[in-house]
Amino acid sequence: MLFFLTRRLSRETKLYKTLVYLPMTLSFVVIGQIWSWILEPRNGVLNSLLALLGFKGVSWLSDPSVVTYSLIMAASWRQISYAMVLFLAGLKGVPKELVEAATVDGAGPWKRFWNIVLPMLKPATVVAVTVSVIDSLRAFDIVYVLTRGGPFYSSSVMANYMYIKAFNNYRMGYGSSIATIQFLITLVFIVVYMRNVLKKEVENE
């Protein structure tokens, strides 16, 4: 996928990049609505495809054993686009001379990727992982649109659980405690992210 995106721009490449980057332009509310149509148990796109292949449909959003994976699938659609932008930017910073020298020395594609490309993508990887974790910790809208935390709290995340306890069950103190813990956990990842950004700026000076 990355190889195709880094090729010279053609009509096919432009179309492919547009499709890959499109989820980044959408909010999680819109993405949740789109995936609610895809995962709809009776006439949804995914179950319709399974029926064409001869498989039984799945209750993607009402089965406690699969609902979490359904949410991950929906949320990853947008996060993959964001990570792709970071890695494409990181690939542009990989010196071609190093890759060409490794090729001359007989290194195969896997060795070139593992020993040259992947270490050079470390800053982009740290940012992508950190931002994805922060987004997952504060996730609320996509969960609320798709499942509202159900069934039986099986798809609840911290933000959604806090909302249920504070505004549905009127346990404001309990909800405030959840919010405080969520803030502290998120703060740890924000600090790691900022340290990485500041370290990168110092190295570039």
Side-chain angles (χ1 to χ4, degrees):
M1 182 182 290
L2 285 173
F3 173 76
F4 188 79
L5 290 173
T6 52
R7 293 175 62 186
R8 289 186 177 181
L9 288 179
S10 62
R11 181 176 300 178
E12 294 79 9
T13 307
K14 289 179 180 179
L15 177 61
Y16 189 71
K17 283 188 174 184
T18 301
L19 294 176
V20 170
Y21 298 155
L22 180 61
M24 286 188 60
T25 65
L26 306 176
S27 69
F28 275 116
V29 174
V30 176
I31 289 175
Q33 190 62 53
I34 292 173
W35 277 89
S36 69
W37 299 331
I38 295 174
L39 302 175
E40 204 275 327
R42 294 184 179 179
N43 301 313
V45 175
L46 196 52
N47 275 353
S48 297
L49 289 176
L50 290 176
L52 288 175
L53 296 175
F55 295 101
K56 184 179 179 181
V58 179
S59 300
W60 299 101
L61 301 178
S62 58
D63 186 346
S65 62
V66 299
V67 65
T68 301
Y69 302 105
S70 301
L71 288 174
I72 292 173
M73 184 167 50
S76 297
W77 188 48
R78 187 176 188 272
Q79 292 303 110
I80 288 174
S81 300
Y82 178 75
M84 190 69 65
V85 173
L86 293 176
F87 286 125
L88 283 175
L91 284 174
K92 291 182 179 180
V94 177
K96 293 182 179 180
E97 295 79 8
L98 290 178
V99 179
E100 292 173 356
T103 304
V104 172
D105 290 340
W110 174 250
K111 285 189 176 181
R112 293 199 301 270
F113 172 76
W114 185 259
N115 295 312
I116 298 176
V117 177
L118 189 60
M120 298 292 289
L121 291 177
K122 182 181 177 180
T125 304
V126 172
V127 173
V129 171
T130 305
V131 173
S132 297
V133 171
I134 292 173
D135 282 345
S136 65
L137 287 171
R138 64 182 183 86
F140 170 78
D141 34 16
I142 192 169
V143 177
Y144 189 81
V145 170
L146 286 175
T147 66
R148 286 174 170 77
F152 310 112
Y153 296 106
S154 58
S155 63
S156 284
V157 294
M158 291 187 71
N160 177 259
Y161 189 67
M162 174 196 65
Y163 178 86
I164 293 173
K165 291 300 180 182
F167 298 103
N168 290 355
N169 299 340
Y170 301 104
R171 300 179 63 183
M172 296 298 178
Y174 190 39
S176 298
S177 300
I178 297 173
T180 302
I181 294 173
Q182 181 182 4
F183 169 74
L184 293 175
I185 296 174
T186 306
L187 183 62
V188 172
F189 288 96
I190 292 175
V191 170
V192 173
Y193 173 74
M194 293 304 298
R195 285 186 61 185
N196 179 74
V197 172
L198 293 175
K199 181 180 179 181
K200 187 176 181 181
E201 289 183 356
V202 171
E203 290 176 353
N204 292 334
E205 289 181 356

